[in-house]
Amino acid sequence: MTSVTDPPQGSFRLSMLINDTRYRSYTFQFIALVLLIGFMAYLGINLVSNLAAQGLNISFGFLGNAAGYDINQTLVEYDSQSSHLRAAVVGIINTLIVAFLACVTATIFGVIAGVLRLSNNWVVRKLMAFYVEIFRNIPVLIWIIIIFSIMTVSMPAPRDFRGEDPSASMLFESFAFTNRGVYSPAPVIDGASGWIVIGVFIASIIGIFAYRRYATKKLYDTGQLLPMLWPSVALFFVPVTLVYFILGRPITLDYPSLQGFNFQGGLHLRGSLIALWFALAIYTGAFIAENVRAGILAISKGQTEAAASLGLRPGRIMNLVILPQALRVIIPPLISQYLNITKNSSLAIAVGYMDVTSTLGGITLNQTGRAIECILLLMLFYLTISLLISAVMNVYNNSVKLRER
Amino acid sequence: MSDTHSHSVAFVRTETLPQLPPPASEAGVVKWMRENLFSSIPNSVLTLVALYVIYQLVTGAFPWMANGIWNTNSLAECREILDGATGACFSVITERWNQLLFGFSYPSEFYWRPGLAFLLLFVAAAPVMFFDLPRKLLLFTAIYPFLAYWLVWGGTIYTPLFALLGIVIGYLVYARFVKDSFAMGFFGGVIAAFIAWFIGGYIVGAIAPAEPFLEAVQSRDMGGFMLNMTLGVVCVSLSLPLGIVLALGRQSDMPIIKWICVVFIEFIRGVPLITLLFVANVVLAFFLPPGTTFDLILRVIIMITMFSAAYIAEVIRGGLAALPKGQYEAGDSLGLDYAQSMRLIILPQALKISIPGIVNVAVGLFKDTTLVSVISMFDLVGMIRGPILSSTDWNGVYWELFMAASVLFFVVCYGISQYSQWLERRLATDHR
């Protein structure tokens, strides 16, 4: 019988580099590093020689030059004489707008569909399953183009709203659905008192959160249950309405009206924005629905039954027992869905919505020919956004995480 | 006791009554509807809303579908026949069907070749997908990639033959050295295969006939749904092994290898596929040796493969992490080395856990192949948006075309997801 001997000392042979587990990992890492550096150097040398052959260089100076193209939706000041950098910023803002809108809407769709898929109502259940399967299995690009086609082909033109007997009419005299997009009333803030109303509104929302925190703390400390719903609703409506009328209605609505060939005034949501927004929302909503369903199903039935045996009502069972536990399962995939929405918003380029892919990666790239710089910046932007979203959502995820003792 | 009662009490029945069916409201359709559709007031409201939605959908779509016109040559003719009535003009699909499937520049006399390759795909995939089939069919699966390449792209048969030969040589070298150590066998096999391909390249160049049996078709002539299928199948099958390697690298104890994998995965997952396609389209050429012309489809395949490999790597990492530590320790205690315990114990279980995730990635990737239309390749969506909708005959037929595209994608994606659910049930070894 052989006994375990000490590893051979001192006599290092070259074959031990690959056969001895003590040295093998160093060998592999060394090989990997050499290969990586060699590969990078190969790409770098090719890049330098290609750039030299075409008389180009890597420089970001082009960002300061005048862009020379117009952007149809801008939140910050921009005209065609602004720099490429400013065009990129406008694009970034547009990306963030559509991503934010789509995230909110997709969450709403997803939660509703996910909960309804578990309903004991057969028709509703099947309808939601139909929604989920249809939207999940067809590419989002096709959905974006379909909705964009509906907006541009099937909707009436602004001139159809004109005349004594128009073939199209505005909804509630304030919303116009046209082939150029949707026109809706826009709020007009009248001076300082208007801002006061908005300030009061924000303050009351903060107040609602503060009140709910206080009530929860009181519940945990003393066991005394304060009413939650009615004070919240009152806080939401009463102060802002009071201030609004006391200050003499400083916020008015600017209704769109037909002037000349097009609607003037109001808020104009472009067809491309709506197509991108709703396509991303309904497409991702189908995925979120599945996550929500999986999250609720992951909570064992015993939890519901235990809560019911304690005498909780169904609404409270959902709010206090099921959802807090289900959120733990739902949040991580929800984070990646938000990331997906942000990344998929780059499909804006297919319908001409001027997001950062269309400005920086589209027109700017084509005009200046600075492919490497533009795409590098584009990738950096998306990387930053992705990391930010996951960081923020991970903080939230940690706050709902299961705390074990 | 009881018999005294039955005799002394007049109103106790002595014979059994025949069984009656339950009341109508407690059986059959009525009971089902009461329990499932109208159990409470909110439930009834939901039912009515849902029924209204279904009614709207059906009444909206049915006349349009039923009145569909299948055999005209242009939209104007369709409108003439319909004469103002609601109806679809499906003739765009019948007339442009070949273009939707194969793109507009694939030679029409060769349509049978991708068609045959598509049919053979099922034969090749069957032994992988349904493992009750005879194992010998796997031999055809191994040959299939080369056969399919030859069928679709054509050209001299020596190219795929020598590619296959290189792999066979690599395998032989692997089999010779794997007894000593897996690493030696693996790297030896890879190096041998590369040497064989290198030499084979020269031989093919020397002996290739001027008039090959199957005429060569350029990559840029490919298009339509065929392009989506090709990209999807090639990229998924390439990214699966790459994803496994990346996942193992990310879980590895070796810091340098681990960090290379982490940076690669996080970078790829952080950017949208479109930017990677832009890289394939405009930037990649800068990083290649001057003067090389690199097929656009090949560039796109490289980028999409990298993209999906990063996602598959994360899915498999989840599978690896989900395995109990005891499984790893079991491998160690049996005296298996890293490669053996991975191949025999860890990966089979981890891959089984990851099946749903891998299929999700595969379906998502297949849908994402439509994005190549953004860099002006004429895949199914690109064909519709480009040549077909801009032709004078069919300018304005949106619904029918997008419905056809949706149906094609739906059939494939839904089929894959149903298969994966079947596979999960089939592989379930836990006894519940």
Side-chain angles (χ1 to χ4, degrees):
Chain A
M1 195 175 150
T2 54
S3 60
V4 176
T5 52
D6 286 337
Q9 304 280 336
S11 59
F12 178 78
R13 294 177 312 275
L14 212 56
S15 66
M16 279 165 72
L17 276 179
I18 191 138
N19 287 330
D20 193 320
T21 42
R22 285 171 303 169
Y23 305 115
R24 190 155 62 185
S25 68
Y26 295 110
T27 320
F28 285 166
Q29 293 190 62
F30 181 72
I31 294 174
L33 200 62
V34 167
L35 284 179
L36 182 75
I37 293 174
F39 185 63
M40 290 291 176
Y42 174 71
L43 294 184
I45 290 168
N46 282 339
L47 177 67
V48 170
S49 60
N50 278 322
L51 286 175
Q54 299 184 20
L56 290 170
N57 60 345
I58 298 277
S59 111
F60 291 91
F62 73 97
L63 286 173
N65 299 344
Y69 59 91
D70 284 316
I71 297 180
N72 49 27
Q73 181 190 313
T74 58
L75 271 198
V76 294
E77 204 176 308
Y78 175 85
D79 60 46
S80 62
Q81 291 310 304
S82 305
S83 64
H84 282 294
L85 184 63
R86 200 160 181 88
V89 170
V90 172
I92 286 175
I93 293 173
N94 284 349
T95 295
L96 296 180
I97 291 174
V98 78
F100 175 75
L101 289 176
C103 282
V104 173
T105 324
T107 313
I108 297 172
F109 285 167
V111 170
I112 292 176
V115 171
L116 285 185
R117 268 203 88 171
L118 293 171
S119 145
N120 44 19
N121 187 321
W122 185 84
V123 176
V124 173
R125 212 164 57 215
K126 288 293 164 193
L127 197 64
M128 287 302 142
F130 181 73
Y131 158 73
V132 168
E133 291 299 344
I134 285 285
F135 280 94
R136 257 170 20 128
N137 286 318
I138 294 176
V140 63
L141 182 62
I142 293 186
W143 285 119
I144 293 175
I145 299 172
I146 286 180
I147 297 184
F148 187 63
S149 313
I150 298 174
M151 291 302 299
T152 51
V153 180
S154 311
M155 290 289 173
R159 67 177 135 77
D160 292 338
F161 290 82
R162 206 168 358 173
E164 285 298 305
D165 184 27
S167 54
S169 59
M170 291 168 78
L171 191 68
F172 306 127
E173 293 295 314
S174 47
F175 293 93
F177 294 88
T178 74
N179 59 1
R180 299 188 194 176
V182 174
Y183 294 86
S184 78
V188 178
I189 297 158
D190 183 19
S193 45
W195 288 107
I196 292 175
V197 176
I198 292 176
V200 168
F201 181 67
I202 294 171
S204 57
I205 288 190
I206 297 172
I208 290 173
F209 278 102
Y211 173 75
R212 293 181 83 99
R213 265 188 100 99
Y214 166 75
T216 315
K217 191 168 161 17
K218 181 142 184 145
L219 175 68
Y220 290 164
D221 289 349
T222 66
Q224 188 189 356
L225 185 62
L226 295 175
M228 286 273 206
L229 181 67
W230 291 114
S232 308
V233 173
L235 266 177
F236 190 81
F237 286 109
V238 175
V240 74
T241 322
L242 278 179
V243 173
Y244 180 67
F245 283 104
I246 288 170
L247 290 177
R249 302 211 250 178
I251 297 182
T252 49
L253 287 179
D254 176 24
Y255 289 92
S257 63
L258 200 56
Q259 281 162 12
F261 292 105
N262 209 343
F263 281 92
Q264 301 292 325
L267 198 65
H268 180 196
L269 293 173
R270 282 174 187 282
S272 50
L273 170 63
I274 293 179
L276 196 61
W277 169 12
F278 274 97
L280 287 177
I282 52 179
Y283 177 79
T284 318
F287 288 87
I288 295 179
E290 287 297 89
N291 295 335
V292 170
R293 188 172 73 107
I296 295 177
L297 280 181
I299 309 305
S300 78
K301 210 165 161 46
Q303 295 282 328
T304 317
E305 291 163 351
S309 72
L310 289 175
L312 291 181
R313 279 175 278 116
R316 285 193 172 271
I317 294 179
M318 199 57 166
N319 280 334
L320 299 175
V321 179
I322 304 298
L323 272 186
Q325 300 186 67
L327 275 184
R328 243 171 255 138
V329 187
I330 296 172
I331 296 290
L334 198 63
I335 300 173
S336 34
Q337 294 302 343
Y338 287 166
L339 285 175
N340 280 346
I341 286 185
T342 314
K343 284 185 284 172
N344 280 342
S345 70
S346 59
L347 290 174
I349 199 168
V351 287
Y353 177 71
M354 298 299 274
D355 78 329
V356 67
T357 316
S358 305
T359 57
L360 184 63
I363 304 178
T364 295
L365 192 157
N366 287 334
Q367 278 188 3
T368 59
R370 297 274 176 185
I372 299 170
E373 296 91 331
C374 283
I375 290 186
L376 193 68
L377 287 178
L378 199 58
M379 286 182 155
L380 278 181
F381 164 72
Y382 279 110
L383 268 181
T384 319
I385 290 289
S386 300
L387 293 177
L388 272 182
I389 292 183
S390 18
V392 169
M393 294 306 282
N394 276 330
V395 169
Y396 180 67
N397 196 16
N398 280 334
S399 74
V400 295
K401 195 168 70 176
L402 187 65
R403 289 193 188 83
E404 284 176 304
R405 267 173 267 275
Chain B
M1 284 282 272
S2 61
D3 52 350
T4 50
H5 269 282
S6 62
H7 290 294
S8 56
V9 184
F11 50 80
V12 173
R13 237 184 230 287
T14 51
E15 77 276 18
T16 314
L17 279 177
Q19 287 188 355
L20 285 176
S25 64
E26 284 301 318
V29 180
V30 178
K31 173 172 185 278
W32 182 84
M33 279 177 67
R34 263 166 50 119
E35 283 189 352
N36 285 298
L37 302 183
F38 302 102
S39 58
S40 64
I41 292 173
N43 211 348
S44 312
V45 173
L46 265 182
T47 307
L48 292 180
V49 170
L51 287 178
Y52 178 72
V53 170
I54 294 171
Y55 170 77
Q56 285 290 323
L57 285 178
V58 170
T59 50
F62 184 72
W64 184 77
M65 301 273 280
N67 278 344
I69 290 171
W70 290 89
N71 46 4
T72 55
N73 285 321
S74 72
L75 183 63
E77 277 183 52
C78 268
R79 295 224 167 107
E80 219 166 87
I81 296 176
L82 282 171
D83 199 23
T86 316
C89 183
F90 290 120
S91 19
V92 63
I93 298 167
T94 45
E95 208 223 20
R96 299 293 174 113
W97 181 244
N98 283 334
Q99 286 197 356
L100 287 175
L101 286 193
F102 300 105
F104 62 100
S105 47
Y106 200 87
S108 56
E109 64 270 27
F110 297 148
Y111 280 165
W112 63 272
R113 279 163 38 181
L116 182 64
F118 179 67
L119 288 183
L120 289 178
L121 174 64
F122 290 100
V123 182
V128 182
M129 292 168 73
F130 304 100
F131 23 80
D132 300 329
L133 291 173
R135 295 288 81 191
K136 282 194 176 149
L137 279 176
L138 278 175
L139 205 61
F140 181 74
T141 312
I143 298 173
Y144 177 75
F146 308 98
L147 183 64
Y149 167 81
W150 185 53
L151 279 173
V152 173
W153 274 275
T156 166
I157 195 172
Y158 294 115
T159 314
L161 268 187
F162 273 93
L164 183 61
L165 192 68
I167 292 200
V168 170
I169 290 175
Y171 178 76
L172 289 178
V173 172
Y174 165 80
R176 161 72 185 76
F177 285 108
V178 74
K179 290 186 197 76
D180 301 338
S181 95
F182 178 80
M184 220 147 96
F186 182 75
F187 290 115
V190 169
I191 293 169
F194 269 106
I195 293 172
W197 285 330
F198 190 72
I199 299 170
Y202 284 107
I203 299 176
V204 168
I207 62 172
E211 292 270 321
F213 178 60
L214 289 182
E215 205 175 304
V217 178
Q218 297 298 316
S219 292
R220 61 170 178 274
D221 291 341
M222 292 178 61
F225 198 56
M226 177 177 78
L227 183 58
N228 293 114
M229 285 298 291
T230 314
L231 288 177
V233 172
V234 171
C235 294
V236 167
S237 33
L238 288 180
S239 62
L240 194 58
L242 190 58
I244 294 176
V245 171
L246 281 172
L248 290 179
R250 195 170 179 167
Q251 295 289 76
S252 148
D253 300 329
M254 301 181 245
I256 295 179
I257 290 184
K258 182 177 171 178
W259 281 104
I260 293 174
C261 293
V262 168
V263 169
F264 178 84
I265 293 173
E266 292 303 327
F267 178 77
I268 297 281
R269 275 160 42 93
V271 299
L273 181 54
I274 283 204
T275 55
L276 292 179
L277 291 178
F278 282 164
V279 169
N281 196 17
V282 290
V283 178
L284 209 56
F286 283 105
F287 291 99
L288 297 171
T292 41
T293 49
F294 218 54
D295 198 82
L296 179 58
I297 291 196
L298 193 55
R299 282 182 274 166
V300 166
I301 285 178
I302 291 174
M303 292 323 270
I304 300 185
T305 303
M306 280 164 56
F307 182 76
S308 62
Y311 282 82
I312 286 183
E314 284 300 274
V315 171
I316 294 176
R317 183 168 76 114
L320 289 173
L323 275 195
K325 201 155 181 287
Q327 296 291 328
Y328 291 86
E329 291 164 351
D332 291 343
S333 72
L334 285 174
L336 304 181
D337 65 14
Y338 176 80
Q340 285 168 328
S341 71
M342 280 300 148
R343 265 186 311 157
L344 301 173
I345 298 183
I346 306 299
L347 275 181
Q349 301 183 66
L351 288 178
K352 194 183 90 181
I353 300 175
S354 333
I355 284 175
I358 292 175
V359 172
N360 267 347
V361 175
V363 171
L365 169 74
F366 179 62
K367 288 184 293 179
D368 280 348
T369 56
T370 53
L371 264 59
V372 296
S373 65
V374 173
I375 54 167
S376 52
M377 286 169 81
F378 292 103
D379 75 318
L380 182 57
V381 176
M383 276 307 293
I384 292 176
R385 299 183 67 202
I388 297 183
L389 276 180
S390 58
S391 70
T392 47
D393 285 347
W394 299 112
N395 192 352
V397 190
Y398 290 91
W399 285 103
E400 293 82 351
L401 285 171
F402 286 124
M403 205 184 77
S406 307
V407 167
L408 281 177
F409 274 101
F410 183 84
V411 167
V412 176
C413 296
Y414 190 71
I416 300 175
S417 70
Q418 290 301 308
Y419 164 74
S420 99
Q421 287 176 20
W422 174 84
L423 190 61
E424 262 177 75
R425 286 194 298 275
R426 177 71 173 61
L427 287 178
T429 45
D430 50 344
H431 303 287
R432 287 200 171 187

